[in-house]
Amino acid sequence: MSEQTQFTAAIVDFITGMDGQTPQGEHLRLARRCLMDGLAVALGGSEQPGMAPLARYIASIGGAGQGRPLGAGDVRLPAHLAALWTGTAGHAMDWDDTQLAEGPGRPYGLLMHPTMPPLAACLSLLDLAAAEGGAPVSGARFLTAFATGFEVGCKVAEAINPDHYMRGFHTSGTIGAFAATAAAARLLGLDADATARAIGIAASCAAGIRANFGTMTKPFHVGRAAENGVTAALLAREGFSANTEALDGKWGYLTIAGPGGEPELVAHRLGQPFTMVSPGVSIKPYPSGVLTHPSMDALRFLMRDEGLAAEDVAAVTLHAGSNVLGPIRFRIARTELEGKFSFAFLLSAIILRGRCGRQEFTDSFVASPECQDMQARVETAFDPAIEAMGWDRIRSRIELRTHDGRQFTRWADEAYRGGPDNPLSDREVEEKFTDNAAGLLDPARQQALFDLVWSIDTAPDAAALLDALHWGAFAHHGA
């Protein structure tokens, strides 16, 4: 058997061999942080405009009350639909964490959003697993399943040819399906054969294309990945058949969707080390693609250090390579969804508000006359010299001209805020949660949630997370 035909088997061995291996040490610390961040962005994302039609769609289907969608109170849904809701909410603001690249030729910071697919899958199965097992799912069991899915997704994303993303696949939707499947299989306790079949089923579901960036369908990719993972695991548990080497060989996922890949880079490194630990994960300070963050910070700190105000700014030009400019689709944003893929908007928000968070990502602010006027003053320029420096870091340069003729230049810091070399503090992660919870959870409930997450590995019932986060999201959307 070749190296490539062993990749699926290596993943199955890892998933089914995680008994008693709750994250420890630094892995545990980071897993709690990713959990806190994932819950934050899913809570805030649950009230985004795209969630209203999704809620109506889900309500129209109905079905067995197997699991609870995050934020929806006492609503019970089929587990796969609960995963669809939570996963979509978690990516609705594009504020969920980002996996860093490690292998050669991998564009730094441009692989996948690793937390939401496995987290949404695990949350959606908590009630079902407890009902079938006759006992609550412990925090340790929940965290182990989540971390298992996180690791599998990251390693598959490392293995597949980077051309997978460059050709237009959205990795968080495609590879996210394998992350969710691994988490669901681990939480449900599937054996090796069922786990391999679940991966095979997921391989025929894993999809998502970048043409839908800037629309409600982009976060739907992550919701669908979570849904696909839960569906695959439940189908496999019922005996549904699938190829048990579906990642491998001539017709396997890596070959077809890559095309190709280098599974030998990761097949023997699952958990050695965990990707969450090394090379690490970026917890985002802004609700947009991670490749935009260093430039946003560069402009923010330039204006702060030079004492500049919005009325001083005549023009801004961002110089960068294709790794930074390539995912940007909109010259001028008209909606908040387009704004996530428009440097004109992202930099205008920094100029006008000195920040770019949940309150700035609204259709009303993006379309406001002041924001539209400022966007017209912000340009991007491909820079061959920056391109020649390579894609191993997120590099860019801001040039700003004032109305009185002054010129300022600032390079983006390679140790960008939120990345492993310059991480958000635990307190900043909590503040991000508070930003997302504003108007939804009062301070006492937020603090109770903080206490629960920071000790989740010792919690007797992980479903307490869902209890703590309900605010009636489905009712809010009129579902």
Side-chain angles (χ1 to χ4, degrees), residues 87-273:
T88 303
H91 196 53
M93 293 186 292
D94 212 334
W95 212 349
D96 43 332
D97 57 16
T98 305
Q99 174 193 2
L100 301 185
E102 185 174 51
R106 271 64 178 168
Y108 185 85
L110 196 61
L111 285 180
M112 69 173 291
H113 299 274
T115 283
M116 284 317 305
L119 177 57
C122 287
L123 288 170
S124 72
L125 288 168
L126 282 174
D127 291 345
L128 178 63
E132 292 181 345
V137 174
S138 70
R141 177 180 166 192
F142 168 84
L143 199 63
T144 300
F146 162 64
T148 299
F150 188 111
E151 174 69 358
V152 168
C154 287
K155 288 301 196 285
V156 176
E158 284 283 1
I160 201 165
N161 191 314
D163 196 42
H164 177 75
Y165 184 88
M166 298 306 174
R167 289 165 60 213
F169 281 108
H170 181 205
T171 317
S172 299
T174 57
I175 308 305
F178 299 111
T181 300
R186 179 64 260 161
L187 190 73
L188 293 172
L190 300 189
D191 63 20
D193 177 68
T195 298
R197 286 185 284 110
I199 292 172
I201 296 167
S204 282
C205 301
I209 58 171
R210 289 168 59 195
N212 275 313
F213 281 18
T215 74
M216 293 175 182
T217 300
K218 182 182 189 270
F220 176 76
H221 293 167
V222 175
R224 182 66 91 182
E227 178 187 10
N228 288 338
V230 170
T231 298
L234 292 175
L235 278 173
R237 191 175 67 163
E238 295 299 327
F240 208 76
S241 68
N243 189 310
T244 57
E245 296 179 346
L247 294 174
D248 309 309
K250 180 180 179 181
W251 303 114
Y253 194 84
L254 265 63
T255 299
I256 299 304
E262 299 175 276
E264 65 275 5
L265 290 174
V266 298
H268 302 297
R269 294 195 299 109
L270 286 153
Q272 300 180 19

Side-chain angles (χ1 to χ4, degrees), residues 353-370:
R353 296 277 184 88
R355 50 168 282 141
C356 193
R358 181 178 160 208
Q359 296 177 23
E360 285 67 47
F361 277 91
T362 64
D363 287 346
S364 59
F365 176 64
V366 176
S368 67
E370 64 170 347

